[in-house]
Amino acid sequence: PFTAELCIHLTLLFFCLKEKSQDCMYLQYCKVCQSYKAPRSHHCRKCNRCVMKMDHHCPWINNCCGYQNHASFTLFLLLAPLGCIHASFIFIMTMYTQLYNRISFGWSSVKIDMSAAKRDPRPIIPFGLSAFAASLFALGLALGTTIAVGMLFIIQMKVILTNKTSIESWIEEKAKDRIQYYQTGETFIFPYDMGSKWKNFRQVFTWSGIPEGDGLDWPVRDGCHQYSLTIEQLKQKADKRVRSVRYRAIEDYSGVCCPVTKGVKTFFTTPCTEEPRIALSKGDLILATRGLKHWMYGEKILISAADGGIRERGWFPRNCVEKYQYDSETDQPVDGEKKIK
């Protein structure tokens, strides 16, 4: 069937054909979608597809924030706190007007009569103790939402004014770390920053509501080209493969979020992320790329991976694995060496 995903794949195929053949080597290939990814595109595990100019996957809207809806999502982050501020004002005024005639002040005490209003006529909607508690609780939720969502709006505006996404900001930080680690002397310049906050703003917000461009070709600053960011991503992936460490599972792990049998510290320090956990069986090989004190993140080495098998990546407890010493040329374990945990 002619689906939206198929349409995107055909568009990317046309994108590769219309460019020079050597340019296609700079595009990243998605093994899940079995297609090339356009610049600034990333694969979303939740949506199970590649998203143009992906910023993040939002569980509250059950969708990805990307090229098509970045402006709408940002407006949502603005209007939600404004609505909560309006609701907070209503709750505050309601409690003030209802409590005004119920409070009596003494020399050393303050009394609040919640039984009935001391005024005539009586209110149409009774305001008792339960209504007061509900209004106070709703006020707390409204203020909390205003602060939390308002901070997300500020973060989004910061990346929009530099014409970046949250993922691209993270890529830029890793580029600086890579250059500093290897002392290459190169300078990474983010290619899509137009140098003007207004021009960057106009890349997302337009009067028509339709973002500029087609999601494939992007205007770049002087000294950069369409694949500057993609080339940096390929360098980071190559660096990650070089710096990754191979481990072997010494215990079974079911893949639960908070394993009870792996220790108290492992249970309470589980990563607070939507990234999956991978189940391990004794003897499995894992290529770890990053980790915490009690957890590690990596990819399980599958025998069928060379045949197009689905990659299994996720978190697993550190105490379930040990370093695997092997010969890089023969890919065989080294005999006579004690394994290091």
Side-chain angles (χ1 to χ4, degrees):
F2 192 78
T3 61
E5 288 78 6
L6 180 59
C7 181
I8 294 175
H9 293 165
L10 292 175
T11 305
L12 290 176
L13 178 61
F14 174 76
F15 177 76
C16 286
L17 292 176
K18 76 174 184 177
E19 296 291 334
K20 297 178 181 179
S21 58
Q22 59 266 27
D23 290 345
C24 293
M25 65 182 295
Y26 300 132
L27 294 176
Q28 300 181 87
Y29 187 80
C30 180
K31 295 182 179 179
V32 180
C33 298
Q34 296 183 356
S35 174
Y36 285 99
K37 293 188 288 187
R40 311 188 77 177
S41 299
H42 302 276
H43 184 83
C44 176
R45 297 190 189 98
K46 298 291 184 180
C47 298
N48 196 29
R49 60 185 174 89
C50 290
V51 181
M52 294 186 296
K53 196 189 174 184
M54 178 179 174
D55 185 88
H56 69 287
H57 181 88
C58 179
W60 304 110
I61 63 174
N62 193 29
N63 199 0
C64 277
C65 174
Y67 164 72
Q68 293 286 354
N69 62 348
H70 200 176
S72 301
F73 178 78
T74 307
L75 289 176
F76 162 73
L77 296 182
L78 172 63
L79 297 177
L82 292 179
C84 290
I85 292 174
H86 178 253
S88 301
F89 178 77
I90 294 176
F91 290 136
I92 292 174
M93 294 306 299
T94 299
M95 289 188 291
Y96 172 76
T97 54
Q98 292 295 327
L99 294 177
Y100 181 78
N101 293 321
R102 300 171 187 260
I103 300 177
S104 58
F105 295 92
W107 288 103
S108 60
S109 63
V110 177
K111 295 182 180 180
I112 302 177
D113 183 12
M114 298 300 296
S115 58
K118 296 181 180 180
R119 62 190 176 96
D120 190 38
R122 295 173 64 88
I124 299 175
I125 301 176
F127 191 83
L129 184 60
S130 58
F132 174 76
S135 299
L136 192 62
F137 178 73
L139 175 62
L141 288 180
L143 293 177
T145 304
T146 301
I147 297 173
V149 182
M151 292 177 62
L152 292 177
F153 171 75
I154 294 174
I155 294 174
Q156 282 296 315
M157 286 305 302
K158 284 183 177 180
V159 296
I160 287 175
L161 292 178
T162 55
N163 202 14
K164 301 175 185 175
T165 63
S166 301
I167 296 178
E168 290 169 350
S169 298
W170 175 238
I171 293 174
E172 186 178 26
E173 291 296 325
K174 291 194 294 183
K176 296 177 181 178
D177 294 338
R178 181 186 63 82
I179 294 172
Q180 183 179 6
Y181 180 82
Y182 289 104
Q183 297 294 323
T184 59
E186 59 182 313
T187 302
F188 175 74
I189 300 176
F190 186 75
Y192 305 113
D193 188 354
M194 298 290 97
S196 169
K197 293 183 178 180
W198 173 247
K199 291 182 180 179
N200 293 334
F201 182 83
R202 293 287 297 170
Q203 288 290 312
V204 178
F205 294 95
T206 59
W207 290 112
S208 63
I210 302 175
E212 292 188 359
D214 56 2
L216 301 176
D217 293 314
W218 302 93
V220 295
R221 63 189 304 169
D222 295 337
C224 302
H225 57 86
Q226 282 288 333
Y227 308 110
S228 295
L229 184 66
T230 308
I231 293 173
E232 175 58 32
Q233 289 180 261
L234 294 174
K235 289 181 179 180
Q236 292 179 11
K237 288 185 176 181
D239 177 52
K240 184 169 65 173
R241 288 192 293 267
V242 171
R243 299 169 64 176
S244 59
V245 182
R246 185 173 295 194
Y247 286 82
R248 176 161 47 181
I250 57 176
E251 297 180 11
D252 294 339
Y253 169 56
S254 61
V256 296
C257 181
C258 301
V260 180
T261 59
K262 303 305 178 184
V264 178
K265 294 182 178 179
T266 302
F267 178 83
F268 285 105
T269 58
T270 180
C272 297
T273 174
E274 291 186 352
E275 292 175 316
R277 275 66 170 168
I278 54 174
L280 299 178
S281 299
K282 189 175 181 180
D284 287 344
L285 297 179
I286 310 100
L287 201 62
T289 56
R290 52 192 167 99
L292 303 174
K293 186 174 182 180
H294 301 287
W295 288 83
M296 302 189 73
Y297 184 90
E299 178 181 345
K300 186 187 294 186
I301 301 176
L302 302 176
I303 299 177
S304 59
D307 300 328
I310 299 176
R311 297 186 298 175
E312 294 186 32
R313 293 185 295 177
W315 292 92
F316 54 91
R318 185 183 287 267
N319 54 12
C320 291
V321 296
E322 65 180 4
K323 278 189 178 179
Y324 181 68
Q325 303 294 335
Y326 69 100
D327 191 341
S328 59
E329 295 182 357
T330 62
D331 201 26
Q332 296 295 325
V334 178
D335 297 330
E337 289 195 17
K338 185 179 179 180
K339 295 180 177 59
I340 306 172
K341 287 188 178 182

